[in-house]
């Protein structure tokens, strides 16, 4: 079964990253969750980046705060698409450090970066990447977008 790998630099990132996990679960997409620290477990980072695709993972969502090297290093090592989630962590100045560390990748090594603490969008984007090649997921995305539009239509009726 196709899997999304959700990794983060610390358990302290989990409250943010949970939004991606929860979204993917509503789509019945298998999620493998782990903690991989670029700076504190560099050997694990190397192992994850080189091998994630060998066990069925097809998209990686990586979240980290502060000097956030995890998404970029996974993108350097892995053939998989990597979605980066900047996290406003306790060691972050104001979030910009994490945003820029994840966003400003050199040409050739892309990380699709979502908004600060924007893990839900990372989950949606991962589902859309899988949905490009899986009609059942694609149809769930279509339904999800219909629901979004209905919510706004209800707001318009209530105002
Ligand atoms: C980063 O440092 C982690 O991704 C986390 O956002 C931040 C703080 O980590 P802890 O001190 O909470 O373990 O590497």
């Amino acid at each position: 079964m196709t899997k999304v790998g959700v990794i983060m630099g610390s358990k302290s990132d989990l409250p943010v990253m949970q939004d991606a996990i929860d979204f993917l679960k509503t789509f019945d997409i298998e999620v493998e969750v782990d903690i991989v620290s670029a700076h504190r477990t560099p050997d694990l980072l190397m192992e994850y980046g080189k091998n994630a695709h060998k066990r069925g993972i097809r998209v990686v969502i990586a979240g980290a705060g502060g000097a956030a090297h995890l998404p970029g290093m996974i993108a350097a090592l892995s053939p998989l698409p990597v979605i980066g989630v900047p996290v406003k962590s306790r060691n972050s100045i104001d979030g910009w450090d994490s945003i820029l560390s994840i966003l400003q990748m050199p040409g050739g090594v892309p990380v699709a970066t979502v908004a600060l603490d924007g893990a839900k969008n990372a989950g949606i984007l991962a589902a859309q990447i899988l949905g490009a090649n899986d009609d059942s997921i694609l149809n769930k995305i279509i339904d999800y977008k219909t629901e979004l539009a209905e919510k706004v239509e209800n707001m318009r009726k209530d105002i």
Side-chain angles (χ1 to χ4, degrees):
M1 189 176 174
T2 306
K3 284 185 281 197
V4 174
V6 177
I7 53 174
M8 59 209 85
S10 170
K11 196 171 181 186
S12 64
D13 299 319
L14 186 56
V16 169
M17 299 304 288
Q18 191 68 45
D19 287 344
I21 298 164
D22 290 345
F23 183 86
L24 290 163
K25 286 189 173 169
T26 66
F27 272 37
D28 295 320
I29 293 171
E30 192 178 341
V31 185
E32 182 198 273
V33 183
D34 207 348
I35 295 168
V36 180
S37 171
H39 304 118
R40 293 173 283 188
T41 61
D43 292 337
L44 178 62
L45 167 98
M46 294 286 285
E47 192 280 326
Y48 189 97
K50 287 181 179 176
N51 297 309
H53 66 285
K54 297 177 186 169
R55 56 177 182 275
I57 291 176
R58 286 296 170 262
V59 184
V60 177
I61 298 173
H69 295 121
L70 178 65
M73 283 304 298
I74 294 296
L77 292 160
S78 175
L80 300 172
V82 177
I83 303 169
V85 182
V87 176
K88 191 169 184 313
S89 58
R90 62 182 151 213
N91 65 322
S92 178
I93 296 170
D94 57 5
W96 278 111
D97 39 12
S98 176
I99 291 169
L100 296 176
S101 300
I102 296 174
L103 181 69
Q104 289 301 114
M105 290 295 291
V109 190
V111 172
T113 308
V114 297
L116 186 67
D117 291 344
K120 183 174 183 178
N121 273 359
I124 295 168
L125 184 54
Q128 288 174 314
I129 292 169
L130 297 178
N133 202 32
D134 181 322
D135 280 351
S136 75
I137 296 175
L138 187 72
N139 287 329
K140 287 176 186 174
I141 293 284
I142 291 167
D143 290 345
Y144 178 72
K145 287 196 167 290
T146 302
E147 285 167 27
L148 287 182
E150 283 170 358
K151 280 181 190 159
V152 176
E153 286 305 327
N154 287 334
M155 288 181 209
R156 292 179 68 213
K157 282 177 198 151
D158 281 353
I159 205 159

